[in-house]
Amino acid sequence: MFSKLRRNILLVNASIITILLIASFVAIYIVTRGDVYREIDLDFRRISFTWEDVISKIEEEGSELSIESFNIYLGKTENYDFLESRLANSYNLVIDADRNLIKAIGFYDIDYRIFTDITDNLVWEPDIIQYTSYNEIQWAYRIRESETGYTVRLMNITKRLGVLTSLIFTSLVIFIFTMVFVILISIYITNKSVRHLEEAFRKQKQFIADASHELRT
């Protein structure tokens, strides 16, 4: 009887703590995820504005945006450090009307085939920020229609989403250690409480036995 009581108490304690921990971690994850995606949205809009500014300045000089004109502009601008901090993780893709990649422009060179594969996997819904992944790299992107086809802005968001992955891992570790601690404490408290009940029950049985013996006598 008391073994079953111990199991029931432990089960109730573990269930309550598990529900509270899971609810807390889910709430923290939802809030953090919302903050991360709001930051991504804000950074993406900043990057888009910066790209528009760079493109307009290149066109003012009588050139068309290309890898060469972009590099020339970077070589003579006084805002190189600022532009690198803004645009280092982003790319400007020029795509024709048939959705074929024409050129990919950015601070750093990446295998051209990557952008071709990314382009093939895009969801063609213009003017909204969307998300995709390629080779474990996460990207935010937005498609804009142009006179000759499309312009796609890409931003690498792998590090930003890594915060959520770290949060899940940390939460899992905390959950495991907390549950182990709670179970050990529950076992100690349960055994101590049930021991008092066992002693009281034993004394009650002894009293009844003694009373019965006296009455028979």
Side-chain angles (χ1 to χ4, degrees):
M1 179 179 70
F2 289 103
S3 296
K4 184 177 181 180
L5 179 62
R6 284 191 182 91
R7 287 196 300 270
N8 289 339
I9 293 174
L10 287 174
L11 182 61
V12 170
N13 289 340
S15 299
I16 292 173
I17 297 300
T18 300
I19 292 171
L20 291 176
L21 285 175
I22 291 175
S24 299
F25 290 143
V26 168
I28 292 171
Y29 178 82
I30 290 173
V31 171
T32 304
R33 187 177 187 276
D35 291 340
V36 167
Y37 276 96
R38 275 191 292 273
E39 290 179 6
I40 289 173
D41 182 82
L42 183 60
D43 285 347
F44 192 93
R45 295 179 189 281
R46 288 192 187 118
I47 285 172
S48 294
F49 177 80
T50 304
W51 270 112
E52 294 295 338
D53 185 56
V54 169
I55 292 171
S56 65
K57 289 180 179 178
I58 290 175
E59 290 176 347
E60 286 174 4
E61 296 175 355
S63 301
E64 183 180 327
L65 179 64
S66 64
I67 296 175
E68 292 76 16
S69 63
F70 181 67
N71 289 331
I72 291 172
Y73 175 79
L74 292 179
K76 62 184 180 182
T77 183
E78 297 178 354
N79 296 324
Y80 182 89
D81 292 336
F82 169 76
L83 293 176
E84 184 179 26
S85 66
R86 271 290 173 86
L87 303 180
N89 293 319
S90 68
Y91 293 87
N92 189 85
L93 309 185
V94 178
I95 298 172
D96 65 21
D98 295 323
R99 300 180 180 177
N100 298 312
L101 180 64
I102 298 175
K103 51 190 173 184
I105 303 165
F107 255 84
Y108 306 119
D109 293 331
I110 295 182
D111 190 340
Y112 196 84
R113 290 170 297 181
I114 292 176
F115 295 114
T116 301
D117 292 337
I118 291 174
T119 302
D120 292 338
N121 292 323
L122 297 181
V123 177
W124 294 88
E125 296 182 13
D127 300 323
I128 61 173
I129 298 175
Q130 301 179 84
Y131 306 93
T132 188
S133 62
Y134 180 80
N135 284 352
E136 299 182 355
I137 299 176
Q138 308 294 322
W139 300 91
Y141 68 93
R142 183 169 61 191
I143 300 171
R144 288 276 173 85
E145 295 182 356
S146 64
E147 295 179 358
T148 58
Y150 304 92
T151 297
V152 177
R153 298 275 157 70
L154 281 175
M155 182 177 76
N156 189 330
I157 59 172
T158 305
K159 289 185 179 179
R160 290 176 173 85
L161 295 185
V163 172
L164 298 179
T165 303
S166 298
L167 177 61
I168 292 173
F169 176 77
T170 303
S171 299
L172 182 60
V173 172
I174 293 173
F175 177 79
I176 292 172
F177 278 101
T178 301
M179 288 306 301
V180 170
F181 177 76
V182 167
I183 289 173
L184 292 176
I185 293 297
S186 296
I187 290 173
Y188 172 76
I189 295 174
T190 300
N191 286 337
K192 190 172 182 180
S193 301
V194 172
R195 195 176 300 118
H196 291 306
L197 291 175
E198 286 180 319
E199 182 65 20
F201 185 72
R202 186 188 63 79
K203 289 180 179 180
Q204 184 183 41
K205 285 181 66 178
Q206 185 63 43
F207 172 77
I208 292 173
D210 292 343
S212 298
H213 177 71
E214 290 297 330
L215 288 173
R216 285 197 301 272
T217 304

